[in-house]
Amino acid sequence: MVLKLALKVNNKDNVATVFANDIINGTEVEIRDQVGKIERMHVIGNVPYGHKIAVKDIHKGEHIIKYGEEIGVATAEILQGEYVHIHNLDSMRGRGDLD
Amino acid sequence: MDFMGYVRSDGKVGARNYVAVVPSVTCANDVAQAICRQVQGTVTYLHHQGCCQMPPDLERVTDTLISLGCSPNVAAVLIVSLGCEGTDHERMYSELCATGKHIEIIHIQELGGVSNAIQQGTDIARRLMIEVSGLQREPVNISNVVMSIKCGASDTTSGMASNCVIGYIADKMVDLGATVIFGETTEFIGGEHLLARRAVNSEVGEKIFQIVNAMETRAKSIGCDMRKGQPTPGNIAGGLSSIEEKSLGAIMKSGTRPIQGVMEYPEHVTTQKSLWIKDTPGREPEILTGMAATGAQCMLFSTGRGAPQGFPSMPVIKICGNPNTYQRMENDMDLNAGCIITGEKTIEEVGEEAFVKMLHVLNGEMTKNEAIQYFSAIDIHCLGPVI
């Protein structure tokens, strides 16, 4: 079986980036962190190459963390393994629509 | 460590030996382009500025064009002026003459129109080209290099592969005594606190927050969510969900060394050494011009989705972080950093390969966009309205 790889950049991150093609709902991916530790997870949703999944449950209103830093806020309850992108992650910057 | 460069009269060292045909205003573009088509070894900058703008912008355009002419990759300059433009073509001429380079100027209106200007300009450009074409490269220390860096058409591989490679080289070049310049202020948003922490003093740290705030305020003044502007639809399709995520990946290319200060968009390097920021937007035509105006002899350009463009007088080396893109667009990509994502190579291994590639390019080897002259879409970043 071809390895379905996802990378987690920082220990604090609650998302990992999937670098594999044909990731559909239910596919098992292997998440590797910076020190090579491996965790397996089933993906929820169809995830294109280079897109993110949650590595743990994230509650609505919680920060989404990548590179150990905040990249946005969850706009819905997100389950472990679920696809994370602009449908459930809101940017907190450059928001002229909120002023 | 040395590279082979053209030593100029002002002590700067070029990696190319062009005659620049510089339109002082957009209305002179067609004449400059016609001269450039005719005379081998010339380059031109077909920008869209220089008249009917507010005075600070006119000054900005004048200064940027002067800085482009000051670049050590440019051996001589022919300024093509219309005659009635808003930019200060006289100041352009006198400040460029102060570099010791051979500078000429023609005025389209004074010469009786386009065809006469093309004819005179071609004769002058040919003379300049013959004059500088025999100059020889000589070995000079790599500390004479001003390296600019940029990422474009990014996706999530950029921050995890190609930008890390550039960061590795940025640190190496700083340690070798060279100058490294990065920009794209929009892409500091969400990561500015990390950059400010690396500022040499609190004044520089505050300046970083200030330029980011000014850029974000300009974006917010439109009254909408910045997304689709930044990150771009292409970034979003590539998996980048927010400007914060894009920024955190983008700033990887600045490496880890202390940030010495912030340069304004039109400025060129005089005594600056080590790592500097230039306040620029992220879009290619404007930032590439800004970086060439810095006096950078070359640019390292990271991409994920595949940005093909270069700049007329500054070789641009494309480093691709996405292994799928590299496979599809190998003709336009100078280096594959996708093997970091696939786990075949480390950042350091690709970093060393990219460093050697850069040395070759500084010595005269053409980049892929340079060889096919993919560099006509350029512009100067202005702040006020066109009036």
Side-chain angles (χ1 to χ4, degrees), chain A residues 5 7-9 17 19 21 48-52 66-67 69-72 84-86 89-97 99, chain B residues 156-157 159-160 189-190 192-194 216 220 223-227 236-242 244-245 248-249 252 323-324 341:
Chain A
L5 181 69
L7 295 175
K8 191 176 139 184
V9 197
T17 311
F19 292 110
N21 296 310
Y49 185 96
H51 289 231
K52 295 175 291 298
K66 183 182 169 186
Y67 300 107
E69 299 287 332
E70 296 157 7
I71 63 164
V84 176
H85 199 24
I86 51 171
L89 180 161
D90 235 357
S91 175
M92 297 179 287
R93 302 292 299 271
R95 295 299 300 270
D97 56 327
D99 283 0
Chain B
T156 49
T157 65
M160 292 161 105
I189 296 176
E192 65 268 57
H193 56 294
L194 303 174
E216 191 175 10
K220 280 161 80 172
C224 57
D225 184 346
M226 186 168 65
R227 269 183 298 199
I236 292 172
L240 293 169
S241 308
S242 65
E244 297 95 308
E245 183 182 9
L248 292 163
M252 292 287 172
N324 299 330
I341 296 290

Side-chain angles (χ1 to χ4, degrees), chain A residues 14-34:
Chain A
N14 53 16
V15 289
T17 311
V18 179
F19 292 110
N21 296 310
D22 309 318
I23 301 293
I24 55 166
N25 196 25
T27 310
E28 189 179 44
V29 294
E30 190 177 296
I31 298 168
R32 262 191 237 163
D33 68 10
Q34 282 299 71

Side-chain angles (χ1 to χ4, degrees), chain B residues 202-212 261-262 264 279:
Chain B
S202 58
E203 201 183 320
V204 172
E206 275 162 33
K207 179 75 182 169
I208 292 171
F209 282 115
Q210 189 198 321
I211 60 171
V212 173
V262 177
E264 298 298 329
D279 185 16

Side-chain angles (χ1 to χ4, degrees), chain B residues 72-95:
Chain B
N73 283 1
V74 169
V77 179
L78 167 61
I79 301 164
V80 181
S81 148
L82 178 62
C84 60
E85 62 266 39
T87 46
D88 189 345
H89 50 79
E90 283 171 17
R91 183 161 74 83
M92 246 178 249
Y93 178 76
S94 61
E95 287 194 21

